[in-house]
Amino acid sequence: MTLKKKLAVSTLAVSMAAASVAGFPFSSKGLAEHFGVSTASAAAVSQADVKAKVEKIYAQLTENDKKALLAYEKEAGNISAAVFEQIFQPVLSKLALDTDDLATAHKAFTSVSSVVYDVYDKDYTAIKEIRYNMDNVALLKKIAAKAGVKNLTAEDFTEFLFGDKGVEAELRAMISNKSKTDLMNLILNASSTDDALNTLLDEAITKVLNHNTIEGGLTVSQVVYNLNITPGDIKLSLKNLKDRVPTAAPAVRALALAYVKAYINEPVTPNPGTPGGNTSGGNGTVTTPVTNPTATPGLYDVSKLVTVVGDKATLKLVDADVLKSFDALVAANAGKTGLTLTLDLGTVNAATVEAPLSKAIIEAAKAKGIANIAITFNGLTVTIPVGQFSESIALTTSTVADTTVTSLSSMKLASSVYDFELTVGGVVTTTFKEPIIIKLPLKNTEGLDRELLSVAKVVYEELQYQGGVVDGEHIIEPRPVFSSYAVLENKVSFKDIASVQAWAGRQISVVAAKGAIEGVGNGNFAPKNNVTRAEFAKMLIRALNLENNSAKQSFGDVSSTAWYAPYVAVAAEKGIITGRSAAQFDPSATITRAEMATMIARAVKSQKPEAATNASALSKFSDAGKIAASLKDGVAFAASNNLVIGNAGKFNPNNTATRAEAAVIIYRTINFK
């Protein structure tokens, strides 16, 4: 069953398209005959069709997509037997596999993982080895006997994935009412739509597993049903795979995008890899390469509009075509707001990339309700909120020497080093009213603590850590200012936290790594010191990436030059922290645990308004009656979402909050989903 689980779960985790590889094109008829098994019930779906389908999907892959598949092959193909068993424990726990069978299943999993990339290279050797391996066939036969079905073959998995009652058929039926734009956005914005993608896959698997009746049913579904393996077991195994093998998510994203390009509406021509330049005729005129700005609403392939001279690449857009792409995006998303048009430059072989956006493009975007224009190339994405500009802008990104950062710190570098510059109306501008979001590709992360990865800003030959949210093989960080940025593993240690190490040590390290909390000097953190209102405002705003240079405050006791002024301004503007009065903030006053919980609740609600409050959450605290009426809703929200827990059945709402407690609640907040 492990092998079955490997094909129906691990390959599904790599994605439907990758899973297709697992059930690939060669008949196991010879093996069946060798074992004396009838093949009368072989899968109805043509293996030639499956091969053609998979090759069509793989033809859509870009160079970066191929790198994502190769990264998955290397990581998944090298996981240990112990990790394999941990990932698939929800299924394995319901089986009584002996040691040899577990070893066979583990070997099969690593073999199939290599197929994900090998098929791109038209190398089917590994597939043949998997199919003709006697141990694999024997294991399938054992599973069939255990489940009480006549036989279980590789063709059954092909049918499970690609047959007319299989996973792909169910998925296509479920997305039949979705536009190509919706699907592309679902994939491209995976950090915010991951639940939607999971829901689609979960529902499809559940429906297919329900095809388990003997007459007209799917053999794999019968096996799963008879062995009492539930869709929930499979769902949890998929989650485990994603958590334990970080490269799985980018591989899924690449293959899902390729599938949509290949099979939804008209296929999109894959990125050729090297940008096409303009050509000059004998009469001296310049011919602009032909692009299709409306092929995929929301994603405009502009790779042919990139020219490279020396070590600098320049995007040369045609305003009229960009406006067409705006219209296509708006038409495909009627009534929706906050739309983003992504300009995909593809793979650019130059250290410096310049992407100018004319005033006509900026004004048209605002007039048509386009909130953002994203520039993406080489795995890097910069998303620009255009509403703040009224002139032409030009984004220039340079990949600079690693020594720009490594000469300043011994921390391990986990990305390239990028220098960002934006001109507005031809004038270099380094600060913005609305933050520009940078999504940096990670590299060399093996052995690094991913929770400690943080975007670092180079300021006067020093590094300032800004935080960032790790999303698969990228880290996302909104930046209100431009400079040089890189990602490092920021290991921060303090010599005075032994007394709180058990319950706050890890949290202090992570929050400090993100730059949201700092020590007090001389290697100390002072975990039991009280937290002031100004300090907590900074912690919260930095931790949740809410910095905004346009925020203003009018408190008489907050100087505009005070270190905490910008954080108080954002917190007050968003209603996270209120003043003691309209004119007084009282920055040096300490905060209570109830006040801290309320501030956290307001901050989370500002970002996730759909988050719910359980009115009965306060009942877990025997001292809930001591919570001020004005703070009860906030504490209830925080308790409902496990942002605050209490101690020995009490919340101690009026106790002054300590720095260690603040670090713990900030840690829980940045991990709130």
Side-chain angles (χ1 to χ4, degrees):
M1 177 58 222
T2 277
L3 214 217
K4 178 251 124 203
K5 193 290 179 116
K6 173 214 91 18
L7 282 168
V9 174
S10 79
T11 47
L12 277 173
V14 180
S15 89
M16 181 179 61
S20 70
V21 174
F24 216 70
F26 23 61
S27 172
S28 57
K29 179 180 178 181
L31 286 175
E33 291 175 347
H34 176 82
F35 278 86
V37 177
S38 170
T39 60
S41 60
V45 61
S46 162
Q47 296 196 23
D49 289 343
V50 173
K51 180 177 180 180
K53 181 183 292 289
V54 172
E55 290 186 344
K56 185 174 181 179
I57 292 169
Y58 273 63
Q60 302 295 327
L61 297 173
T62 67
E63 290 299 322
N64 284 332
D65 293 338
K66 297 163 193 172
K67 291 178 182 178
L69 298 188
L70 183 59
Y72 171 79
E73 174 189 339
K74 290 180 177 178
E75 184 174 25
N78 287 293
I79 67 170
S80 67
V83 172
F84 168 77
E85 292 180 34
Q86 291 169 6
I87 291 172
F88 298 138
Q89 189 274 339
V91 169
L92 296 177
S93 65
K94 296 188 176 180
L95 301 173
L97 295 179
D98 60 29
T99 302
D100 290 341
D101 286 342
L102 283 172
T104 297
H106 172 241
K107 183 178 179 180
F109 171 82
T110 57
S111 298
V112 169
S113 297
S114 71
V115 169
V116 173
Y117 181 80
D118 292 346
V119 168
Y120 160 71
D121 240 1
K122 300 292 175 64
D123 181 359
Y124 304 134
T125 304
I127 301 175
K128 294 179 180 179
E129 291 175 353
I130 295 168
R131 282 292 189 86
Y132 287 97
N133 182 280
M134 298 302 180
D135 290 336
N136 292 349
V137 176
L139 179 56
L140 286 173
K141 191 173 182 181
K142 286 183 183 179
I143 293 167
K146 186 187 292 280
V149 300
K150 185 176 181 180
N151 192 26
L152 181 63
T153 69
E155 279 77 9
D156 293 320
F157 292 105
T158 302
E159 187 73 10
F160 179 84
L161 294 167
F162 291 100
D164 59 8
K165 295 181 181 178
V167 174
E168 186 208 10
E170 291 291 356
L171 274 173
R172 295 194 75 161
M174 291 167 61
I175 64 177
S176 61
N177 63 339
K178 293 182 180 294
S179 69
K180 188 170 185 177
T181 302
D182 290 336
L183 295 173
M184 297 288 277
N185 286 338
L186 211 61
I187 298 164
L188 290 170
N189 300 308
S191 61
S192 61
T193 60
D194 194 52
D195 287 342
L197 288 171
N198 284 339
T199 298
L200 282 174
L201 186 56
D202 292 344
E203 290 181 7
I205 293 173
T206 299
K207 288 183 177 181
V208 175
L209 291 180
N210 285 337
H211 298 320
N212 53 48
T213 58
I214 297 302
E215 182 177 355
L218 296 175
T219 302
V220 171
S221 298
Q222 293 172 23
V223 169
V224 172
Y225 178 79
N226 293 350
L227 292 174
N228 196 32
I229 296 170
T230 69
D233 296 328
I234 294 178
K235 178 180 178 181
L236 183 55
S237 296
L238 289 171
K239 181 180 184 301
N240 291 345
L241 181 65
K242 178 181 176 182
D243 292 343
R244 296 301 298 268
V245 184
T247 54
V252 169
R253 197 173 295 122
L255 288 166
L257 190 61
Y259 181 89
V260 172
K261 289 179 179 179
Y263 287 103
I264 306 301
N265 298 330
E266 292 297 321
V268 177
T269 302
N271 180 6
T274 55
N278 293 340
T279 58
S280 299
N283 59 1
T285 60
V286 176
T287 302
T288 301
V290 176
T291 63
N292 188 346
T294 62
T296 306
L299 179 66
Y300 182 13
D301 181 353
V302 295
S303 57
K304 294 180 180 179
L305 303 180
V306 177
T307 59
V308 179
V309 178
D311 211 18
K312 181 178 180 180
T314 304
L315 173 64
K316 298 183 178 180
L317 294 169
V318 176
D319 289 0
D321 286 342
V322 177
L323 269 56
K324 290 178 183 177
S325 68
F326 287 159
D327 291 337
L329 175 58
V330 172
N333 294 275
K336 296 182 180 179
T337 60
L339 300 178
T340 298
L341 174 68
T342 299
L343 302 176
D344 186 358
L345 282 63
T347 300
V348 181
N349 298 311
T352 298
V353 179
E354 182 181 50
L357 302 175
S358 70
K359 182 176 180 179
I361 291 175
I362 298 298
E363 293 301 325
K366 294 192 293 184
K368 296 175 184 293
I370 308 297
N372 309 292
I373 296 178
I375 312 293
T376 185
F377 59 91
N378 299 350
L380 168 73
T381 303
V382 180
T383 302
I384 305 171
V386 295
Q388 61 189 309
F389 303 114
S390 57
E391 298 289 339
S392 63
I393 64 175
L395 171 71
T396 301
T397 305
S398 298
T399 305
V400 299
D402 288 354
T403 53
T404 306
V405 167
T406 56
S407 64
L408 305 177
S409 173
S410 60
M411 300 296 181
K412 293 182 179 179
L413 188 64
S415 76
S416 296
V417 183
Y418 301 97
D419 184 75
F420 297 97
E421 179 182 280
L422 190 79
T423 61
V424 180
V427 178
V428 175
T429 303
T430 56
T431 61
F432 320 111
K433 293 180 180 179
E434 294 181 65
I436 292 177
I437 300 171
I438 58 175
K439 185 176 182 179
L440 308 181
L442 301 174
K443 68 177 185 180
N444 303 327
T445 59
E446 183 177 356
L448 301 188
D449 188 333
R450 293 172 70 87
E451 270 202 309
L452 301 183
L453 296 182
S454 182
V455 175
K457 172 186 175 185
V458 180
V459 182
Y460 300 118
E461 297 190 352
E462 291 185 357
L463 297 182
Q464 294 181 357
Y465 289 93
Q466 309 297 318
V469 177
V470 175
D471 176 28
E473 291 306 301
H474 294 80
I475 190 166
I476 302 171
E477 171 69 6
R479 295 309 311 143
V481 298
F482 264 176
S483 180
S484 296
Y485 291 97
V487 182
L488 293 93
E489 180 190 37
N490 186 22
K491 291 186 175 181
V492 183
S493 61
F494 299 104
K495 59 187 181 184
D496 63 340
I497 62 172
S499 63
V500 299
Q501 182 64 43
W503 59 272
R506 174 65 177 178
Q507 292 86 336
I508 291 171
S509 296
V510 172
V511 176
K514 298 294 187 181
I517 198 168
E518 300 170 348
V520 296
N522 195 31
N524 293 320
F525 181 72
K528 296 183 179 179
N529 281 12
N530 296 334
V531 179
T532 67
R533 286 163 57 81
E535 288 173 333
F536 195 68
K538 178 181 178 179
M539 293 178 195
L540 197 50
I541 299 307
R542 286 288 298 274
L544 296 182
N545 296 312
L546 296 175
E547 292 103 324
N548 186 345
N549 288 327
S550 66
K552 305 295 182 184
Q553 57 82 27
S554 57
F555 297 113
D557 57 350
V558 177
S559 169
S560 61
T561 59
W563 61 264
Y564 50 81
Y567 307 108
V568 171
V570 175
E573 182 176 88
K574 290 185 173 293
I576 295 171
I577 298 180
T578 57
R580 299 299 194 192
S581 67
Q584 184 185 27
F585 179 72
D586 203 4
S588 299
T590 58
I591 59 172
T592 66
R593 286 171 49 81
E595 288 173 332
M596 183 169 65
T598 297
M599 294 174 193
I600 286 288
R602 292 170 181 162
V604 171
K605 287 180 179 180
S606 74
Q607 293 190 311
K608 301 179 182 294
E610 72 281 4
T613 301
N614 183 345
S616 64
L618 295 182
S619 62
K620 71 175 75 172
F621 303 128
S622 61
D623 56 353
K626 296 180 180 180
I627 302 173
S630 62
L631 303 177
K632 281 192 173 182
D633 285 346
V635 176
F637 176 89
S640 298
N641 293 286
N642 293 318
L643 299 176
V644 295
I645 296 175
N647 183 30
K650 292 185 177 182
F651 180 60
N652 300 312
N654 300 314
N655 285 9
T656 302
T658 66
R659 285 170 54 81
E661 290 172 333
V664 170
I665 197 171
I666 291 289
Y667 176 84
R668 292 174 184 155
T669 301
I670 62 178
N671 285 286
F672 179 76
K673 305 298 183 184

